[in-house]
């Protein structure tokens, strides 16, 4: 497909994203839920990892309003910080999903910002699934256009292409028109980064986190009118060529809206690089074949493609090396008969028997073997030779994981990640994601109360409600009522504008003014609005009065009734207070009328 036959890659993809609705993607929603369940499983498995803890400490000093959940924790942060943290958690153990044509791990850079933004804005499960499916399609199609050269050149394709999926998905959630979505994709091109050299270190995960966070950032910038070059991806000096590739436009756009990249997604049964899974499967079979003769192994030869050797023929110094090591994968399969999180942990990595067996493993190139396949041959001290070849490992498209495997993986993630989240609750909730009306409530239901709110500072408010209610519940109830009375846009902006100095006051007022008081059954909201207008008018609080005039209209008061209340204020509190109150009420009426016209 010649490039001059389309407006631009960004605009063509943006037109597709803008025009797509739940009806177009619903058939892919089950696979999307499998992918998101796997995302939660891997993120929960890394929730307490020192790398995640260090990132949380770093970001907590700069986080804005705490509107988005950090998976595996009780704490929340702003949407951009939560996007970063949840993406690195999901990618940290090399246990995430894989798009086989590109080796992109699609969910981490897209699900993380989509869930964070949807939680902050109170969106529905179907909106989340729609945006996620479209985002995965965008990132993988752009990856198709530059594969396999892009990854082979050293670009970490999950990071470099994941940011495009994140930007497109978040722009869709924000309701941007095609022009805005195109700008978001173009802005993502200016922030795409990540290299394969960092694969054995946590620096690899930083670029995945940045893909999630900066994709959201690109969408938010586009929402505010930021523009990007139309051909930021495919232009002469655009993203693809700058990174060394002539983009294959036909491969990028063929079947757009008819075939879906998420339908190709695969999932890992082992927390290791996807190209090593055939090595593990073959080693597990060989262990069964040789019975109790593991201690008689004299040598092991692993044959595979150039990609397998380039990624995995390396010394093992730590657990990150182990996850991308041919030698350690063989040792796990043959000696331990398992290849889970524990088998790739540091305690196992330094075991003398494991290290000794790793030394017996040799890697050889077989140019006839496809990527992802492996042949493992072992020789016993008796001279016997055993060989096992695996072309399609467990978890691949030819041997997919069952739904129960995802659930088991999540339960194991909660256990190994030392999280206090309820695994069964997460599993049930994600399978029902398409029926969720409010992602904020969905995420809150998964998140246990923070430790500080479970102890003495947990403020139990039995006298205010007649039933025991924690501060967390008060805040969520208060936030809901506050949005219903004052308007969701105003409340979201107010929360986003809170800083470290003002956040405590904002949370306290939401909990006790709105959560504890406005939810009491003795007086209805209409009556509370009357009381508030009288008090705020008497106190001459113009900003708050304007807000509550608008709230009073939402709660059923008429302009005539508001006028009578303010006349009462003027009589009992003074004419100057009454004049100011009338002026502010008129401004509020005008703003409401203008918004409704």
């Amino acid at each position: 497909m010649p490039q001059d036959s389309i407006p631009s890659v960004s605009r063509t993809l943006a037109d597709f994203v803008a025009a797509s609705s739940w009806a177009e993607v619903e058939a892919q929603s089950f696979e999307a839920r499998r992918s998101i369940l796997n995302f939660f499983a891997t993120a929960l498995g890394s929730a307490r990892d020192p790398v995640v803890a260090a990132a949380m400490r770093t970001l907590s000093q700069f986080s804005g309003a705490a509107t988005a959940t950090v998976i595996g924790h009780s704490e929340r942060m702003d949407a951009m910080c939560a996007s970063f943290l949840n993406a690195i958690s999901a990618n940290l153990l090399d246990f995430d999903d894989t798009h086989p044509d590109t080796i992109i791990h699609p969910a981490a850079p897209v699900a993380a910002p989509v869930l964070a933004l949807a939680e902050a804005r109170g969106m529905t499960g179907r909106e989340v699934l729609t945006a996620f499916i479209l985002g995965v399609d965008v990132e993988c199609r752009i990856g198709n256009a530059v594969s396999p050269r892009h990854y082979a050149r050293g670009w970490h394709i999950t990071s470099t292409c994941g940011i495009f999926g994140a930007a497109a998905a978040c722009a869709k959630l924000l309701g941007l028109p095609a022009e805005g979505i195109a700008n978001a994709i173009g802005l993502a091109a200016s922030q795409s980064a990540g290299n394969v050299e960092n694969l054995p270190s946590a620096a690899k995960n930083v670029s995945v986190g940045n893909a999630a966070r900066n994709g959201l950032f690109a969408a938010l910038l586009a929402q505010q009118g930021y523009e990007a070059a139309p051909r930021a991806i495919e232009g002469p000096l655009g993203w693809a060529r700058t990174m060394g590739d002539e983009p294959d436009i036909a491969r990028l756009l063929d079947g757009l809206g008819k075939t879906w990249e998420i339908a190709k997604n695969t999932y890992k049964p082992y927390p290791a690089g996807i190209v090593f899974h055939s090595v593990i499967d073959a080693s597990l079979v060989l262990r069964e074949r040789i019975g109790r003769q593991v201690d008689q192994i004299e040598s092991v030869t692993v044959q595979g493609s150039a990609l397998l050797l380039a990624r995995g023929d390396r010394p093992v110094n730590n657990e990150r090396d182990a996850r991308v090591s041919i030698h350690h994968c063989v040792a796990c399969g043959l000696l331990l008969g398992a290849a889970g999180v524990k088998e790739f942990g540091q305690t196992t990595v330094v075991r003398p028997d494991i290290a000794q067996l790793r030394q017996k493993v040799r890697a050889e190139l077989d140019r006839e073997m496809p990527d992802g396949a492996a042949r493992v041959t072992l020789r016993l001290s008796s001279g016997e030779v055993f060989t096992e070849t695996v072309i399609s490992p467990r978890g691949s498209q030819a041997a997919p994981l069952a739904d129960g495997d995802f659930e088991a993986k999540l339960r194991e993630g909660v256990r190994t990640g030392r999280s206090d989240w309820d695994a069964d609750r997460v599993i049930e909730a994600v399978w029902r994601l398409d029926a969720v009306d409010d992602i904020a409530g969905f995420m809150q239901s998964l998140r246990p109360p923070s430790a500080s709110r479970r102890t003495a500072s947990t403020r139990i408010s039995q006298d205010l409600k007649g039933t025991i209610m924690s501060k967390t519940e008060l805040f969520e109830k208060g936030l809901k009522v506050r949005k219903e009375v004052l308007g969701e846009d105003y409340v979201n902006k107010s929360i986003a504008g809170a800083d470290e100095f003002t956040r405590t006051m904002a949370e306290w007022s939401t909990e006790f003014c709105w959560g504890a008081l406005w939810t009491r059954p003795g007086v209805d909201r209409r009556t509370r609005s009357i009381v508030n207008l009288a008090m705020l008018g008497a106190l001459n609080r113009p900003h708050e009065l304007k807000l509550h005039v608008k709230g009073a209209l939402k709660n059923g008061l008429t302009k005539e009734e508001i006028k009578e209340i303010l006349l009462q204020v003027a009589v009992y509190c003074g004419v100057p207070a009454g004049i100011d109150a009338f002026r502010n009420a008129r401004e509020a009426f005008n703003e409401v009328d203008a918004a409704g016209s």
Side-chain angles (χ1 to χ4, degrees), residues 446-479:
L446 305 182
R447 194 177 63 247
S450 66
S452 63
R453 293 185 179 189
R454 288 196 299 263
T455 58
S457 61
T458 297
R459 301 257 178 189
I460 302 299
S461 179
Q462 192 169 13
D463 60 320
L464 287 173
K465 185 65 179 169
T467 58
I468 295 178
M469 184 182 297
S470 71
K471 275 183 74 177
T472 301
E473 292 168 327
L474 283 176
F475 180 84
E476 297 300 334
K477 276 185 164 293
L479 187 62

Side-chain angles (χ1 to χ4, degrees), residues 166-394:
C170 291
K172 178 67 173 179
L173 271 184
L174 291 169
L176 300 190
E179 181 181 3
I181 298 172
N183 284 326
I185 293 171
L187 288 163
S190 289
Q191 304 175 82
S192 170
N195 64 77
V196 174
E197 190 66 29
N198 272 324
L199 217 62
S201 74
K204 180 260 288 191
N205 307 106
V206 169
S207 64
V208 176
N210 280 337
R213 175 175 57 182
N214 294 341
L216 171 56
F217 185 43
L220 293 170
L221 287 174
Q223 185 184 41
Q224 296 301 319
Y226 262 71
E227 296 180 347
R231 298 187 182 274
I233 292 177
E234 76 280 16
L237 299 176
W239 172 82
R241 289 184 177 83
T242 303
M243 291 191 163
D245 291 298
E246 178 79 22
D248 187 337
I249 303 300
R251 195 174 173 206
L252 193 157
L253 298 177
D254 281 356
L256 185 65
K258 298 177 182 177
T259 60
W260 297 89
E261 297 303 307
I262 198 168
K264 305 173 185 176
N265 214 11
T266 64
Y267 307 92
K268 296 181 180 182
Y270 315 117
I274 189 70
V275 295
F276 307 107
H277 286 209
S278 287
V279 176
I280 296 171
D281 279 352
S283 299
L284 290 170
V285 172
L286 286 170
R287 174 184 166 87
E288 295 299 316
R289 288 178 61 187
I290 65 173
R292 297 182 179 275
Q293 302 180 78
V294 174
D295 59 342
Q296 302 299 310
I297 294 173
E298 189 173 86
S299 66
V300 182
T301 301
V302 177
Q303 295 172 297
S305 69
L307 177 64
L308 175 64
L309 270 63
R311 294 293 165 260
D313 191 9
R314 65 173 72 236
V316 176
N317 299 309
N318 54 51
E319 57 190 285
R320 295 187 186 283
D321 290 335
R323 294 188 197 115
V324 286
S325 164
I326 294 169
H327 311 74
H328 190 77
C329 288
V330 168
C332 287
L334 290 176
L335 192 59
L336 304 177
V341 172
K342 178 182 176 182
E343 286 71 36
F344 287 91
Q346 188 66 19
T347 302
T348 303
V349 168
V350 300
R351 274 176 50 169
D353 55 344
I354 293 289
Q356 186 178 19
L357 185 51
R358 286 198 301 256
Q359 294 300 316
K360 297 180 180 181
V361 179
R362 182 168 56 93
E364 284 185 358
L365 175 65
D366 184 338
R367 299 185 187 279
E368 301 301 315
M369 295 287 281
D371 289 341
R375 180 182 301 111
V376 180
T377 302
L378 64 82
R379 178 183 294 273
L380 301 180
S381 56
S382 64
E384 291 179 277
V385 176
F386 296 83
T387 298
E388 191 69 34
T389 301
V390 175
I391 302 299
S392 300
R394 182 168 168 254

Side-chain angles (χ1 to χ4, degrees), residues 517-538:
L517 186 63
W518 274 76
T519 58
R520 286 174 63 81
V523 177
D524 61 22
R525 290 186 188 178
R526 188 176 186 279
T527 305
R528 292 189 189 281
S529 281
I530 293 171
V531 174
N532 268 26
L533 292 181
M535 289 191 300
L536 293 170

